[in-house]
Structure formats: C-alpha cells, structure tokens
Amino acid sequence: MASAMTVKIHTPKQTTTMEIPVKTLSSDFMNSGGSNGRIGFISLGCPKNLVDSERILTQLRTEGYDVVPSYENADLVIVNTCGFIDSAVTESLDTIGEALAENGKVIVTGCLGVKEDEIRQVHPNVLAVTGPHAYESVVEQVHQFLPKPLHNPFLHLVPDHGIKLTPRHFAYLKISEGCNHRCTFCIIPSMRGDLVSRPVGEVLNEAKRLKAAGVNELLVISQDTSAYGVDVKYKIDFWDGMPVKTHMQQLCEKLGELGIWVRLHYVYPYPHVDDLIPLMAQGKILPYLDIPFQHANKRILRLMKRPGSADRTIERIKKWREMCPDLVIRSTFIVGFPGETEEEFEELLQFLEDAQLDRVGCFKYSPVAGATANQLPNPIDESVKEDRLQRFMQVQSVISAQRLQARIGNEYYVMVDEVTSEGAVARSFGEAPEIDGVIHINNEHDLVPGTRLWVEIIHADEHDLWAVPSEEQD
Ligand code: SF4
C-alpha cells in the first residue's frame, strides 16, 4: 500500500510505442512547511490534462494553499483524471480508490468527471466531482471543503507564468479546448465539448511569459491544432498593439519570432498544413509535425470519420519533404478497427513503407464506452489485433531504424533534458519530450538541463541516438 503519492513518468523504450496514460506529480513548486490548507494533487493522462492541472494548481497557490507531496500531509486530495480509453478509466478509478484509502478526502476532476455516476458507483465517498477544464468549479469545491487560507503574499508568491509541471526549459502551450470532429473511436468531444479557441493575444502573452521564465521550447497542443480559430471565424485579435488573426499560420509566425523552439502537436492532415512547411524550412518553427493519421485505407478512415486518403497523404508528405528536407514526422495509428480486413491492414503496412515516417505509435483498437465505433459490425478478434500490432511494429521499427541511421555523421543543435550517471540526455528538433527517443551524450556530466549545444551523431538504434559534442560551438 502506498504511503505517498507516486511519480510515474512514462518513458517509452521503443520507436513504436503503445501510448499509455502518464501519472505525474511534481514537487518543484511544493511548499510543505506551512499550516495553510494543504492539498495533494495527482495528474493523470495526456499533456492537455497536465496543462489543466497547472492551471488549477496555479489558482490554488495564488490563493495561498500549500501543495504537499504525500497523502498523510494533505488535508484533501485532488485527482485530475483521464477517461480516453478503458485502461485510462481503470487507472483513474484505481487512483481515486488509492487516494480515498490513504487520505479519505478526495475531489475528482478531469475527463472522467463527466461520468459522475460511474465514479460514484465505485467510489460513493468522493467529496465532489467536476468535469474537464472546469477550473473554477474545482477551486470552488476546494473552498467548500477546505476554507481559503489567510493569504500572505510574501509567502505565496506564484511566478508570472504560473505553476508548471514540466521541467523549466520546456512547456506545453494549450491553444484551444474541445474538438469539432466526431471520430467514431473517440469520446473526447462528449467530454470536452466543441472547439473553443483561446484568443491569440492571450496565447502569445503566455508564450512570452514562459520564455521570460526560462522556457526554451514550446510544445503547442490542443485536440486539433490545425483547427485553431475555426470556431471564431479566424477573428482578428491584438498583440503588442498589432492585429493578429486567430489562425494557425499567424500564430506560428508570431511564436517563431520569439526565438525559441516551437513544436507542433496533434495536427490534423488538412491541406492548409502545407502553409506551415515554409515556416519550418525558414527555421522559424521546428521542422517537426505530429500528425495522427490513424489509418491509410479509405474505407476504414471513413468508418473512423477521419479525413484523407493514402495517395493524397503520400503526395503531400513528398511535397513537404521537398520543401523542407529535414522535416521529421511523427504519427499514431490504430490497428484492428472493427471490420478491418487483411487487405486493408496490408494497405496500412504499404503506407508505412511509402510514407517513411520517422516516429510512430500504435494502438490496438479497443472499444471505449460511449464511442459510436462500438456499434460497427465485425469486431476483430483479439489475437488478430495482437498479430497485426506485432507486424505493424516490425515494419515500422525497420523504417525508424533506417531513418535514425541516416542521421549518423550529421550535426544537430540539441537541448539537454537531464544528466544521469551515464552522461547527458538531450533532444534535437527531431525528438519531442516524453513520446520520442532521445540523444545520449555519454560521459558529459557537466552540462545542466536546458543547456543547448551542437553535437555530432555517432550511433543509432531503432529508437535512440548517441552523440559527442561538436568541436565547434557557435
Ligand atoms: S480529432 Fe478525433 S480523435 Fe482527436 S479529439 Fe477530436 S474526435 Fe477525438
């Protein structure tokens, strides 16, 4: 039985990964010495949820609450849940159970919060349940069960950029909430609602504050980054006294002017993504695209209610690489979707061969309670799904290994994430934190996280790269 809340960071060891929820609890910002209302906080799930956790914690710290790292020192525990897939629901329910057993006073928030009945059926004693991005409601519930402390502004200073759960040198920048798509395997729109874009001026101000606080890399996230601004008809906002459109391209142009790394995640494969490639070729934003293609066969994509066809996607990737030869593409796929035939699966394998993607994650399809895909006929047998996953991984790991081998001898500007007993662990534009591989710079112990330097790649496997510092550092 755990006596303290644990910190678990998912660090995949393979190029082809099964993505699982991340359970995090950072202690950077904690203050365990005071006798104010003391709150324990557990953040589960994806980076989007992590940003929600950062906002809730920022508000609570601003009000003077202490955030403590153990169940026994907390007056109350908040669990920010994930409900994306069934295993995430199970992990969320287990974590709530653990918090109840260890502490007894638990407030639940996050994606699973929309299913209050389901939570209360298993855990009738939770104090309160609120839904995703309902920051004010969580804080109101905290006030109800743990009165606002007497606030001493000198003891409870909160930095301008708020509380961050990521290391100091990179940060997630969430540009919108919700999603207008209705992919049949996904229940996120029913949990988080339709797309609501944040005003572009507000997003840019946050980016500027993060840079001022030492952040060197911004990871732009949302449910569908390419849809940014659709809901407000790309309306004009103002930033630094200048008009800026609430549009992906203008946002990227402005972020590119900050002079720090800007990495795009969760981009939908729409034609207007083409317009972002010149910004990458010009070095304004990182030449890295995280595009969840999910499948390649037209019929399966239609059943998933996803756009695109393999031919057009291959053409587009070719064009992108002509415009920006350094471009690194990451994607995720689902195998064993209901009704997927052997031929359709083989078409997906052929797509992998043709697309030559750099980094790929793969899920076996699993029905999510409430998803419309559950009503589709011809579910795929578990053993067939497993077999397809293995075959998929075999094909992609050869491709990933070859693409990494091709980088040997090249020089890259990298950023150090951590220093271990073996040396420094860093990333270049080609590796996003948490989900991709890393660049090991063995025997370099004097570097500190956030340092940037030039390295030469000397070795690669199918997931990671090894490098030595370049002789010239300009
Ligand atoms: S784009 Fe599709 S998979 Fe992504 S959140 Fe929206 S509905 Fe879900």
Side-chain angles (χ1 to χ4, degrees):
M1 194 158 53
S3 61
M5 288 172 278
T6 50
V7 182
K8 283 188 201 160
I9 309 281
H10 172 52
T11 44
K13 285 279 171 257
Q14 295 169 309
T15 305
T16 308
T17 59
M18 296 297 295
E19 298 192 359
I20 59 165
V22 183
K23 186 174 180 178
T24 53
L25 183 86
S26 168
S27 57
D28 292 357
F29 54 89
M30 287 172 188
N31 175 358
S32 51
S35 56
N36 290 305
R38 292 163 307 180
I39 292 176
F41 198 102
I42 301 176
S43 182
L44 301 168
C46 63
K48 288 156 269 190
N49 225 30
L50 198 72
V51 174
D52 291 351
S53 297
E54 289 174 344
R55 288 199 192 155
I56 297 166
L57 285 166
T58 299
Q59 184 56 34
L60 292 171
R61 286 291 288 134
T62 307
E63 293 184 357
Y65 288 97
D66 288 338
V67 183
V68 294
S70 63
Y71 287 123
E72 61 265 31
N73 289 328
D75 296 316
L76 173 160
V77 176
I78 300 173
V79 182
N80 191 8
T81 57
C82 174
F84 182 48
I85 50 175
D86 286 0
S87 60
V89 172
T90 308
E91 192 195 17
S92 292
L93 290 173
D94 288 353
T95 305
I96 297 166
E98 181 184 282
L100 279 169
E102 296 292 327
N103 181 281
K105 289 188 175 164
V106 177
I107 291 177
V108 178
T109 186
C111 286
L112 194 62
V114 292
K115 297 181 181 167
E116 182 165 356
D117 292 351
E118 213 172 289
I119 295 169
R120 288 201 181 276
Q121 230 171 20
V122 187
H123 301 300
N125 295 333
V126 293
L127 295 177
V129 179
T130 67
H133 60 88
Y135 320 112
E136 294 83 10
S137 329
V138 188
V139 173
E140 271 165 30
Q141 293 300 335
V142 172
H143 294 161
Q144 200 176 322
F145 295 100
L146 195 59
K148 253 191 194 183
L150 279 177
H151 187 198
N152 180 338
F154 297 106
L155 283 180
H156 298 102
L157 288 176
V158 174
D160 265 2
H161 58 274
I163 301 292
K164 284 195 335 83
L165 294 172
T166 45
R168 190 169 175 261
H169 57 281
F170 70 80
Y172 293 104
L173 183 66
K174 196 182 199 182
I175 59 170
S176 60
E177 298 284 0
C179 180
N180 283 349
H181 298 287
R182 295 294 181 264
C183 303
T184 54
F185 53 81
C186 176
I187 52 167
I188 283 178
S190 66
M191 295 191 289
R192 294 193 165 237
D194 281 341
L195 176 78
V196 179
S197 300
R198 289 178 66 199
V200 68
E202 187 185 305
V203 173
L204 289 166
N205 277 336
E206 184 180 342
K208 209 170 151 184
R209 277 198 302 272
L210 288 166
K211 182 193 168 184
V215 165
N216 280 327
E217 178 179 9
L218 290 171
L219 304 137
V220 177
I221 56 165
S222 66
Q223 301 300 342
D224 173 9
T225 296
S226 36
Y228 180 61
V230 168
D231 54 315
V232 291
K233 303 196 171 53
Y234 306 116
K235 85 167 187 205
I236 305 272
D237 194 12
F238 285 87
W239 186 60
D240 267 359
M242 299 291 286
V244 190
K245 233 180 178 185
T246 314
H247 187 279
M248 196 55 215
Q249 193 177 346
Q250 287 225 357
L251 174 67
C252 287
E253 276 169 17
K254 291 291 171 200
L255 290 174
E257 288 170 15
L258 293 176
I260 54 177
W261 286 5
V262 176
R263 191 186 295 280
L264 303 184
H265 286 282
Y266 314 114
V267 176
Y268 225 68
Y270 276 141
H272 71 265
V273 173
D274 296 4
D275 301 332
L276 301 175
I277 310 298
L279 296 178
M280 297 181 181
Q282 292 156 22
K284 292 193 172 154
I285 59 174
L286 294 183
Y288 179 99
L289 271 178
D290 174 5
I291 305 190
F293 290 117
Q294 308 297 12
H295 212 280
N297 173 267
K298 222 175 187 167
R299 190 186 76 90
I300 296 293
L301 283 169
R302 217 178 303 125
L303 287 177
M304 289 177 166
K305 286 211 177 153
R306 300 278 303 181
S309 82
D311 294 349
R312 261 184 288 139
T313 304
I314 295 291
E315 259 172 51
R316 188 164 296 140
I317 291 174
K318 232 173 109 193
K319 199 167 105 193
W320 291 344
R321 287 192 171 133
E322 276 163 19
M323 293 160 77
C324 181
D326 282 338
L327 179 66
V328 164
I329 305 175
R330 173 187 175 80
S331 190
T332 46
F333 293 87
I334 296 172
V335 294
F337 193 74
E340 181 192 60
T341 64
E342 175 60 24
E343 290 70 34
E344 288 164 340
F345 173 67
E346 283 173 14
E347 197 179 320
L348 174 57
L349 295 184
Q350 187 57 49
F351 174 83
L352 293 181
E353 299 279 7
D354 297 340
Q356 294 286 304
L357 303 173
D358 297 272
R359 309 241 180 218
V360 169
C362 186
F363 292 98
K364 273 187 295 182
Y365 173 78
S366 76
V368 177
T372 51
N374 299 350
Q375 280 127 41
L376 290 171
N378 307 320
I380 305 297
D381 205 74
E382 207 42 49
S383 62
V384 176
K385 281 189 209 169
E386 183 57 38
D387 176 64
R388 289 183 184 168
L389 176 69
Q390 295 308 325
R391 286 159 66 199
F392 180 104
M393 287 167 79
Q394 263 169 22
V395 171
Q396 182 57 41
S397 54
V398 172
I399 295 168
S400 293
Q402 283 167 351
R403 292 194 69 80
L404 290 179
Q405 287 287 327
R407 289 170 66 180
I408 294 175
N410 293 351
E411 290 195 304
Y412 293 91
Y413 199 41
V414 300
M415 178 144 50
V416 174
D417 273 341
E418 58 171 335
V419 181
T420 67
S421 55
E422 289 183 1
V425 181
R427 291 176 296 105
S428 72
F429 67 81
E431 294 82 33
E434 311 275 339
I435 50 173
D436 292 333
V438 294
I439 300 178
H440 301 275
I441 318 171
N442 286 351
N443 305 318
E444 289 294 326
H445 299 284
D446 296 336
L447 300 168
V448 291
T451 307
R452 290 190 279 182
L453 72 157
W454 283 95
V455 298
E456 183 187 336
I457 305 294
I458 52 165
H459 177 69
D461 67 11
E462 63 178 53
H463 192 254
D464 289 344
L465 295 150
W466 280 258
V468 291
S470 301
E471 278 173 19
E472 282 190 28
Q473 299 284 336
D474 48 20

